[in-house]
C-alpha cells in the first residue's frame, strides 16, 4: 500500500481541523509510520512461520485460516482507511465552499489562494459535516477494536489447538514471536483508544460551543 498518498491527503485535512483534531491527526500519522516501519516487518509472511506438529497435508493451512482469518496488517490498513475517510469529507466540504466563493463574491471573481488563507467557521451545514465525521470516526474505532478482540481471542497470541479437518487429531500450532506480536497489538489498540478519547473530546467541544449561542463559533485556523 502507498501510505505516502494517504499522508499527503491527510496533510491537507489538517488545516481544516480544530486544535484537538490536529492532535488526532498527529497520532494518526504516528500510527501510519509505525505500521510502515515496524508492523510489516514484525508480521511479514506470517503463514510461512506458522508451525503445527503434524505433517498432514492441508492441516496447517486450515488451522491458520481458522484462527487468523484476516492479517493484522491488512486489518490495521483497513482501519486507518475507514477512520481517515470521514475527515476527508470535511476537507471536500470546505473546498466546495471555497469554489463557490471563488466564482462570485459581489459579482467579481477572486483568487482561490486568498480564500484558502481565510479562517473557516464551523456552523450551518459545515457543523453537521464536521460533527458527523467525528461521530463516524468514533464508531469505526470502536468497531475495529471489537473485531480485533473477537477475532484474535482477546488480543492474545496463544498456543493454537486445532482439530479441524483434515487434521488427524487435535494438533498444536505455534505462532512465531507471540510475545512481540501481542505487545505490538496491545500498543496499536491503546493508540486506537487514545484516538477515541480525542474524538470524544472534540465532539464535546463542537457540541458545547454550538449550544452556547452567546459564544463565537469555532474557527478552523
Amino acid at each position: 500500500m502507498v501510505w505516502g498518498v494517504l499522508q499527503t491527503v491527510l496533510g491537507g485535512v489538517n488545516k481544516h481541523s480544530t486544535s484537538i483534531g490536529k492532535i488526532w491527526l498527529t497520532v494518526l500519522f504516528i500510527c501510519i509510520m509505525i505500521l510502515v516501519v515496524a508492523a510489516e516487518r514484525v508480521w511479514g509472511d506470517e503463514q510461512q512461520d506458522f508451525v503445527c506438529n503434524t505433517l498432514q497435508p492441508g492441516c496447517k493451512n486450515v488451522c491458520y485460516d481458522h484462527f487468523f482469518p484476516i492479517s493484522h496488517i491488512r486489518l490495521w490498513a483497513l482501519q486507518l482507511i475507514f477512520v481517515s475517510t470521514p475527515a476527508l469529507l470535511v476537507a471536500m466540504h470546505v473546498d466546495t465552499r471555497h469554489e463557490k466563493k471563488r466564482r462570485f463574491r459581489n459579482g467579481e471573481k477572486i483568487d482561490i489562494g486568498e480564500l484558502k488563507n481565510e479562517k473557516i467557521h464551523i456552523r450551518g451545514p459545515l457543523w453537521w459535516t464536521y460533527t458527523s465525521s467525528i461521530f463516524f470516526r468514533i464508531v469505526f474505532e470502536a468497531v475495529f477494536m471489537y473485531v480485533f478482540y473477537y477475532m484474535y481471542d482477546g488480543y492474545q497470541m496463544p498456543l493454537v489447538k486445532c482439530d479441524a479437518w483434515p487434521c488427524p487429531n487435535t494438533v498444536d500450532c505455534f505462532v512465531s514471536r507471540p510475545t512481540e506480536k501481542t505487545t505490538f497489538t496491545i500498543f496499536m489498540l491503546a493508540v486506537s483508544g487514545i484516538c477515541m478519547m480525542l474524538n470524544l473530546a472534540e465532539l464535546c467541544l463542537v457540541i458545547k460551543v454550538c449550544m452556547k449561542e452567546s459564544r463565537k463559533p469555532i474557527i478552523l485556523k
Side-chain angles (χ1 to χ4, degrees):
M1 178 174 291
V2 183
W3 293 107
V5 176
L6 182 59
Q7 287 181 299
T8 302
V9 174
L10 291 177
V13 176
N14 187 57
K15 60 184 178 181
H16 304 313
S17 303
T18 64
S19 56
I20 299 178
K22 294 179 189 298
I23 297 174
W24 172 78
L25 279 170
T26 301
V27 175
L28 197 64
F29 280 131
I30 294 174
C31 283
I32 294 174
M33 294 302 299
I34 292 175
L35 196 61
V36 172
V37 175
E40 292 184 353
R41 294 183 180 179
V42 171
W43 266 265
D45 189 359
E46 185 57 26
Q47 188 169 358
Q48 183 177 352
D49 297 330
F50 187 76
V51 179
C52 297
N53 60 353
T54 180
L55 298 178
Q56 177 70 25
C59 179
K60 171 185 172 181
N61 294 337
V62 170
C63 292
Y64 181 83
D65 184 68
H66 178 73
F67 288 96
F68 302 100
I70 301 177
S71 167
H72 280 66
I73 299 297
R74 293 181 178 88
L75 196 56
W76 275 323
L78 193 63
Q79 178 182 2
L80 288 173
I81 292 172
F82 268 85
V83 169
S84 59
T85 298
L88 302 181
L89 297 179
V90 177
M92 292 173 60
H93 188 124
V94 174
D95 289 341
T96 301
R97 174 183 289 187
H98 281 157
E99 180 62 24
K100 291 180 179 179
K101 287 184 177 181
R102 184 187 70 83
R103 292 178 179 177
F104 292 101
R105 176 182 284 182
N106 297 327
E108 297 180 359
K109 290 186 177 181
I110 61 172
D111 182 58
I112 189 64
E114 297 179 1
L115 285 174
K116 289 184 177 180
N117 292 328
E118 289 184 353
K119 295 179 178 180
I120 304 297
H121 297 269
I122 301 181
R123 59 187 176 189
L126 180 58
W127 184 89
W128 287 103
T129 302
Y130 200 90
T131 305
S132 299
S133 71
I134 300 173
F135 173 78
F136 282 110
R137 276 164 17 200
I138 296 172
V139 171
F140 288 144
E141 291 282 10
V143 167
F144 276 96
M145 289 182 73
Y146 174 76
V147 168
F148 269 102
Y149 181 84
Y150 178 79
M151 295 181 67
Y152 299 117
D153 193 25
Y155 313 136
Q156 300 296 316
M157 298 288 173
L159 169 70
V160 175
K161 291 185 177 293
C162 179
D163 58 356
W165 187 88
C167 298
N169 47 43
T170 300
V171 299
D172 295 330
C173 298
F174 304 89
V175 181
S176 64
R177 295 174 292 183
T179 302
E180 181 181 14
K181 291 175 180 176
T182 299
T183 303
F184 202 95
T185 301
I186 293 175
F187 171 78
M188 292 295 287
L189 291 168
V191 173
S192 295
I194 293 173
C195 288
M196 284 187 64
M197 289 189 291
L198 290 172
N199 288 325
L200 285 171
E202 188 175 17
L203 183 63
C204 293
L205 173 65
V206 295
I207 292 177
K208 179 179 179 181
V209 174
C210 179
M211 293 178 63
K212 293 185 177 180
E213 298 179 354
S214 61
R215 299 183 61 178
K216 296 181 180 180
I218 304 174
I219 297 177
L220 299 178
K221 299 181 178 180

